[in-house]
């Protein structure tokens, strides 16, 4: 016969109310008690009645997070930050990866997993302008990233153009003039690459430096490998950069590797700046100067907005863009460990 | 009125059979067709009937993957490999992170998400000997990692002790004698740390090198930061290592950073070997020599075993440990880019 909640309570030596609290994911239960209850649930093979749970709270306590790729360190660290923010609000996160494939991105919005989650934090790569209607879903949704603006949902984004401009101005302030851009998506008018390229060009323009197309390194995906390849292309065409602004840290670390393999000194010959402030750049040799886009605040804000909507918060879709900063390391200033600096 | 599968088919301009195939996750559907169907599903807000789907195939086509932490690059890359392996078998993956907290690890085994998945690939950190019964669950389960052996389920593991021994012997073969171990968990008798320490000590013993406790650097969590701290401790107590075997790559990269900050040359003064073969070590300066534990084969094997069990494969629990290799980089041999070498 199937185990009941009473059986679980008896075995764990707690009240049925306590079992119910554990099952419903209420915070403020002592870890030892939770552990006893969960062990009893496992031992008795008690099947949590999901429907009953939904009837009681109207919610499952689970939210979804959909990202392009966990092998991109930024998204792995973002997932970590979202999980931490969610836990502090008593929520559990399940993660899905769509790989930037349009069909997976649509499927995640509509798939059966949505029956089990209270809402979704969603960072698409393939959807874009014209797809706003797909975001009109019958559950709470918070959008991340730079693919769709003015959708019908809350949106937490980075200050891409301003931050890219500040990073480029920082390099100009160091006296660098031949600044390569690594991670360009030629012909693309939406997304992070286009916005960061805008900021880069605006900074050059304001400083009276003519942009040189030979200094723009193309990289469709933003991995270490593609950063190294784009850097190699720029160098092979003889463009002779004295600095690199890479559109994310993985690209920057790949580019820095390529420079070093060729015997160019970072930062003396070529200064390098990335974007994202991933942990890896605190330990690279040299440490990586980077834009800190406010990942933890992005995660906290997204979870807070979503949690509010799941509890019925009404009102117009919100758009939030946390402040950014520049973290200065040895890749632009010789011998420097990484530390915060004002943009 | 709720949209039906017929409505979706009409809107997408395909047959009901095609809609059904898309919903059921069959492979071999043209991407453009899938996309049209998924878009129609989204536009009509068609709710996929999960029960019907289950009645039809007996499965959901979704598997779970539970890992300690996605901010540990190994697990992020493992997740990526599992997703890739699953996709090639037509399966979707949802990921949960337990942070090595016992209550979360138990909850993942028993929680309501299991109703939606066909099975679980499970890598615990807190469960250990004595918890085998918790793995006796009513759904297919494949265990990863080194915490529990001889459980009632399929288990894919690394060759920890042999690989650690080979890594240490490789350093001995380079003439290094004062080899630090970074990542030690004092007093712990199960898990990766204990197994890798065994291999390290066995290699020293076979070479007639007396182990020096001052060369063993403790690190509970295996991050870059803790690797740097453990390295600092070893150096601060005056142990003067000429090599480091770090129990994972994140530790190794942190240790290498600490050595370099102190002006020690890698590999001339101190050679460094890691474990895991994460992508980051291909681009570090110098590139990182590491144990390749066969991550992709681990992922493929785990998915294959799980998929087989979800389709009713019977038989005794299997235990699989893919072969390992050593990838040699510049952290042990000056100027070397990373390349494969026989262990």
């Amino acid at each position: 016969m199937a185990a009941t909640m009473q059986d679980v309570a008896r075995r764990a030596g707690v009240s049925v109310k306590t079992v119910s609290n554990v099952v419903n994911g209420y915070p403020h239960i002592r870890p030892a008690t939770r552990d006893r209850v969960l062990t009893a649930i496992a031992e008795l093979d008690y099947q949590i009645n999901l429907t009953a749970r939904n009837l009681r709270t109207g919610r499952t306590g689970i939210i979804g997070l959909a990202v392009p790729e966990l092998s991109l360190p930024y998204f792995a660290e973002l997932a970590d930050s979202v999980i931490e923010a969610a836990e502090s609000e008593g929520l559990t996160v399940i993660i899905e990866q769509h790989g930037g494939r349009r069909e997976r991105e649509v499927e995640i919005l509509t798939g059966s997993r949505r029956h089990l989650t209270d809402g979704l934090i969603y960072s698409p790569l393939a959807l874009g302008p014209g797809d706003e209607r797909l975001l009109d879903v019958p559950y709470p949704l918070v959008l991340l990233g730079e693919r769709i603006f003015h959708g019908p949902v809350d949106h937490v984004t980075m200050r891409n153009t301003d931050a890219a401009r500040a990073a480029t101005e920082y390099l100009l302030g160091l006296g660098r003039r031949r600044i390569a851009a690594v991670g360009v998506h030629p012909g693309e008018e939406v997304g992070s690459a286009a916005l960061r390229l805008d900021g880069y060009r605006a900074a050059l323009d304001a400083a009276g430096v003519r942009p040189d197309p030979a200094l723009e390194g193309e990289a469709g995906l933003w991995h270490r490998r593609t950063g190294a390849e784009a850097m190699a292309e720029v160098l092979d065409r003889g463009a002779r950069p004295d600095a690199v602004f890479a559109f994310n840290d993985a690209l920057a670390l790949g580019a820095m590797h390529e420079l070093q393999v060729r015997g160019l000194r970072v930062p003396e010959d070529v200064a390098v700046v990335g974007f994202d402030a991933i942990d890896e750049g605190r330990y690279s040799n040299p440490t990586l100067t980077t834009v800190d886009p406010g990942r933890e605040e992005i995660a906290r804000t997204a979870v807070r907005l979503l949690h509010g909507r799941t509890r019925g918060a009404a009102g117009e879709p919100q758009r939030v863009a946390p402040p950014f900063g520049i973290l200065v390391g040895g890749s632009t200033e010789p011998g420097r460990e990484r530390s915060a600096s004002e943009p």
Side-chain angles (χ1 to χ4, degrees), chain A:
Chain A
M1 209 182 81
T4 66
M5 204 177 264
Q6 282 74 18
D7 298 330
V8 173
R10 203 171 306 120
R11 187 170 193 110
V14 301
S15 67
V16 170
K17 173 77 181 147
T18 300
V19 174
S20 165
N21 285 346
V22 170
V23 167
N24 284 288
Y26 291 152
H28 313 305
I29 296 167
R30 285 192 306 124
T33 306
R34 274 180 76 88
D35 190 46
R36 262 210 323 280
V37 170
L38 292 169
T39 303
I41 286 172
E43 287 172 355
L44 295 172
D45 190 22
Y46 170 66
Q47 296 291 308
I48 292 167
N49 186 332
L50 189 70
T51 312
R53 186 178 174 180
N54 282 340
L55 284 175
R56 184 183 181 120
T57 67
R59 301 188 293 274
T60 64
I62 305 168
I63 60 174
L65 169 69
V67 295
E69 266 190 276
L70 291 166
S71 61
L72 284 172
Y74 176 76
F75 289 109
E77 295 184 13
L78 176 69
D80 206 59
S81 297
V82 167
I83 288 166
E84 194 176 314
E87 279 182 355
S88 77
E89 307 208 14
L91 299 170
T92 302
V93 182
I94 61 176
I95 301 161
E96 296 176 78
Q97 169 169 308
H98 54 66
R101 297 209 316 283
R102 186 181 165 85
E103 64 176 85
R104 275 286 293 147
E105 293 188 7
V106 175
E107 190 180 51
I108 280 171
L109 285 174
T110 57
S112 51
R113 272 83 81 200
R114 299 286 74 80
H115 291 294
L116 249 201
T117 51
D118 297 336
L120 177 66
I121 297 173
Y122 182 66
S123 178
L125 262 191
L127 297 190
D131 289 323
E132 291 80 1
R133 284 184 54 208
L134 290 177
L135 303 181
D136 190 7
V137 292
Y139 53 83
L141 177 66
V142 173
L143 186 66
L144 299 182
E146 287 66 42
R147 296 293 308 174
I148 304 183
F149 290 94
H150 315 298
V153 295
D154 297 327
H155 187 183
V156 188
T157 183
M158 294 179 185
R159 298 183 186 270
N160 287 278
T161 305
D162 291 349
R165 181 171 177 157
T168 310
E169 285 172 346
Y170 162 75
L171 287 167
L172 290 163
L174 294 176
R176 310 285 170 147
R177 286 296 175 275
R178 295 198 49 75
I179 304 172
V182 167
V184 175
H185 291 177
E188 204 174 280
E189 288 179 15
V190 292
S192 310
L195 296 169
R196 294 177 194 178
L197 186 64
D198 282 350
Y200 159 83
R201 286 181 176 162
L204 294 183
D205 192 50
V209 174
R210 219 207 340 230
D212 178 356
L215 286 168
E216 295 183 2
E218 184 177 341
L221 297 170
W222 287 359
H223 295 178
R224 299 178 194 88
R225 180 180 58 75
T226 53
E229 289 167 359
M231 190 76 254
E233 263 186 47
V234 168
L235 295 169
D236 286 345
R237 65 170 85 109
R240 303 177 66 84
D242 59 16
V244 174
F245 169 48
F247 290 178
N248 80 356
D249 283 352
L251 291 167
L253 290 158
M256 192 157 80
H257 176 75
E258 184 65 23
L259 291 166
Q260 290 171 328
V261 164
R262 292 175 180 230
L264 292 162
R265 293 167 306 158
V266 178
E268 292 81 355
D269 299 322
V270 184
V272 177
V273 176
F275 198 115
D276 279 348
I278 62 173
D279 187 60
E280 182 175 346
R282 298 176 60 193
Y283 295 92
S284 58
N285 178 25
T287 57
L288 183 64
T289 298
T290 187
V291 172
D292 176 359
R295 187 189 75 235
E296 295 198 356
E297 188 168 341
I298 288 171
R300 275 196 304 268
T301 305
V303 169
R304 182 174 49 73
L305 286 170
L306 189 69
H307 200 188
R309 298 289 186 191
T310 66
R311 289 176 299 187
E316 287 297 298
Q318 293 197 44
R319 170 126 174 246
V320 185
F324 66 90
I326 290 184
L327 304 177
V328 175
S331 68
T332 53
E333 302 187 16
R336 234 177 115 150
E337 287 288 284
R338 201 157 92 178
S339 60
S341 160
E342 287 306 304

